[in-house]
Amino acid sequence: MRHLGSPPGALRWLAALALLVGVIALAGCGSSGGSSSSSEAESSTTAGGEEATEAASEEPAEEEAEEPAGEGEEELAAYDPTVAAGPETGLDKRVAWANTSSAEFFLSLGDAIDEGAKAEGCEYTTAVAEDDAQKNVEQMNQFIARGIGAMVVQPLDPASQTPVMEKALGEGIGVMGLTNAPTTMVAQTAQYKVGFEQGKAAAEYITEELGGEAEVQVFNEDSLGPSLKERHEGVLAGLETGGPGIKVVSDIEAKKLTIEGGFETMNTVIQAHPGIKVVLGVDTEVLGALRALEQSGKAADDMYLSGIDGEPQALEQIKKGGPYKASWAFAWPVLGYTMGTYSCQWIAGKSIPKALLVPAVNLDSTATIEKYEKDMSEPAEVFSTANRIATYIEPLGNISYEEKENYWKEPFTP
């Protein structure tokens, strides 16, 4: 198990997500919910040299003695579905999805939560905050006031979200998190691994197709929490494998975690670094960057753009060929169906997984995309077929309403 801050740097989401996934105990993003553009965080660097943000100029912190594994680093056994159910909880048979964004993958997640919850006999409700942290908290409070038995929560602004999540947990409501805490059950990803794979694939392309030299734009989502910092670190470490010819000339958060945010940020970046050949980030940001490159006349088929999340628009770009080469996708519909199912089972008093480990699937060809799309169109069938769901989700640990105090008080780090 890799600890935050341990060498070679611990940045394995969603907060990939981490995304989904690791957006855990997220550092506040401000009331808008979007991360602010910080051009002063940009710097030119060789991948493998100094860090590509202004943090590199700070005095190194004193090393702290290694602490024993905390609750977020709990070792979990495989989920045991044979654990006996407890009594009915008396909670309202209604599952809520506190959606923060109308991004397509979050909307598909919600549709699947709905399907899974209803298959177990629960109602479903949702609201979209559109990256507005205050609105997100208001919507969660409205769910609780209306009456719910479980709520799926996506990280946005932990400082404002945590009190309402604790309120729900105090009432016995199952809080199902996408990488965050405090939660009853959490979906988490080994974020460093996801980032490393993305960076290494880019390095291999640069070595094989660009003569080992390229200027790189990296979008990070550091303000969304420790797990996404891990993923960021993984990206940089993966790029390092390509040698000193790979230069990260810009490492920055988009103005907002949206296509428009990526577009606006990339427009600024290419004015200072017109020779960028590689762009890495989450799909929404990279799709925006592609639009900026196209509108500026700089897009070219030998570029390497890759994202994380499996956005449908990104998959279409990959299938048609061109600059967009790959997306590391999470099984959003399968995950949604799984979370909807377990949310309703929580209300019924059953023992559910304490964590869902969600790997990212590399989609870099028409064949891999078509298989993925077929599975995502059949979430109920995938959920009920052991060898199919094993590709996308590994359930770990057990928790039930009778053990509701044993929730995640710190983010889970797989």
Side-chain angles (χ1 to χ4, degrees), residues 1-14:
M1 182 181 303
R2 189 186 299 268
H3 298 275
L4 293 181
S6 63
L11 259 180
R12 300 144 288 195
W13 132 253
L14 238 130

Side-chain angles (χ1 to χ4, degrees), residues 201-212:
E204 290 171 353
Y205 180 89
I206 294 166
T207 299
E208 296 167 8
E209 304 294 336
L210 301 177

